[in-house]
Amino acid sequence: MSDLNIGVLGIQGAYEKHALSVSLAGAKAEIIKYREQLTHIDGLILPGGESTTMTKMMGFRIGYEDILAFAKKRPVFGTCAGLILLGKGIEDNRVHQFELMDVSVTRNAYGSQKDSFVDNLNLEFDPGNPFHAVFIRAPRIENIGKDIRVLARCEDMPVLVESDLYLGASFHPELTPDPRIHKYFIQKIMEV
Ligand code: GLN
């Protein structure tokens, strides 16, 4: 067990399961609902959910600027809606992106809730041991900048990407009882 404290933004979406995955991966998890909590965490997970709703809910207790200030200095892992928020260039003014990753996405590009699917991904950092990835109203990563490393693909399109401080998944790694991707994030935090 490491003594790292990983925050999971708890304003909307699938945050409880992420906390379990963080524990499985060997770190402490804290659900973050207030800006004051950002002062004692080592990294932050932006969970899946609904990026438009998350944008709307940011404000009184914890706001866009609080998260941005934290994320400029410390590692952040965005999953699904969380990845949408980390990226840039979205043409939807209901979503306020942090523009921290040079990744552009199309929301809901794989269809609606009923088109959710599971795919076995080959992880670049653990090849040959498939990761069962759950895609739910997932964004499709359309363009990536030159600083972005692709860590997994689904049908040739990037689905797990990283840059210096950031990690982004278009699927829900917290819905699979396999902590490898959360462990990878913890490792990343230890290296900064
Ligand atoms: N479709 C959602 C959005 O646009 C993301 C879905 C998810 O996080 N599972 O924000």
Side-chain angles (χ1 to χ4, degrees):
M1 181 96 179
S2 81
D3 51 11
L4 290 180
N5 202 5
I6 315 292
V8 184
L9 187 66
I11 57 178
Q12 193 266 339
Y15 52 85
E16 298 283 356
K17 285 252 161 60
H18 266 297
L20 280 176
S21 298
V22 167
S23 312
L24 267 182
K28 288 194 289 279
E30 177 170 339
I31 306 290
I32 305 295
K33 291 182 184 278
Y34 301 94
R35 60 175 60 81
E36 293 74 19
Q37 293 173 278
L38 292 172
T39 56
H40 57 260
I41 57 171
D42 302 291
L44 179 66
I45 296 177
L46 304 178
E50 188 55 52
S51 50
T52 52
T53 312
M54 281 185 207
T55 299
K56 231 188 269 170
M57 306 280 287
M58 280 181 220
F60 183 58
R61 296 188 171 124
I62 184 164
Y64 177 91
E65 295 299 335
D66 303 308
I67 298 167
L68 185 62
F70 176 87
K72 283 197 167 153
K73 290 186 273 181
R74 304 293 311 166
V76 178
F77 178 19
T79 63
C80 207
L83 166 67
I84 298 172
L85 294 177
L86 275 183
K88 59 197 234 185
I90 204 136
E91 285 171 16
D92 185 335
N93 56 17
R94 293 169 304 162
V95 179
H96 192 182
Q97 293 178 294
F98 294 111
E99 302 186 339
L100 292 163
M101 278 191 107
D102 195 359
V103 166
S104 67
V105 304
T106 303
R107 295 179 56 222
N108 303 321
Y110 296 93
S112 64
Q113 194 84 13
K114 68 176 175 17
D115 303 306
S116 299
F117 64 99
V118 179
D119 194 29
N120 288 329
L121 307 181
N122 190 45
L123 301 175
E124 186 259 358
F125 53 85
D126 191 16
N129 298 311
F131 185 92
H132 304 289
V134 181
F135 291 80
I136 305 169
R137 288 183 301 113
R140 186 167 53 225
I141 298 176
E142 307 285 1
N143 288 299
I144 55 173
K146 60 177 176 3
D147 316 331
I148 303 291
R149 287 180 297 281
V150 177
L151 301 179
R153 293 176 189 270
C154 168
E155 289 169 359
D156 264 4
M157 300 295 281
V159 291
L160 181 63
V161 288
E162 79 170 337
S163 60
D164 48 359
L165 283 179
Y166 313 113
L167 182 64
S170 56
F171 53 93
H172 282 259
E174 80 287 3
L175 295 183
T176 309
D178 177 341
R180 278 180 291 161
I181 299 177
H182 287 79
K183 276 190 178 156
Y184 187 84
F185 180 55
I186 290 166
Q187 191 62 39
K188 199 170 168 64
I189 296 173
M190 292 197 288
E191 282 162 13
V192 293

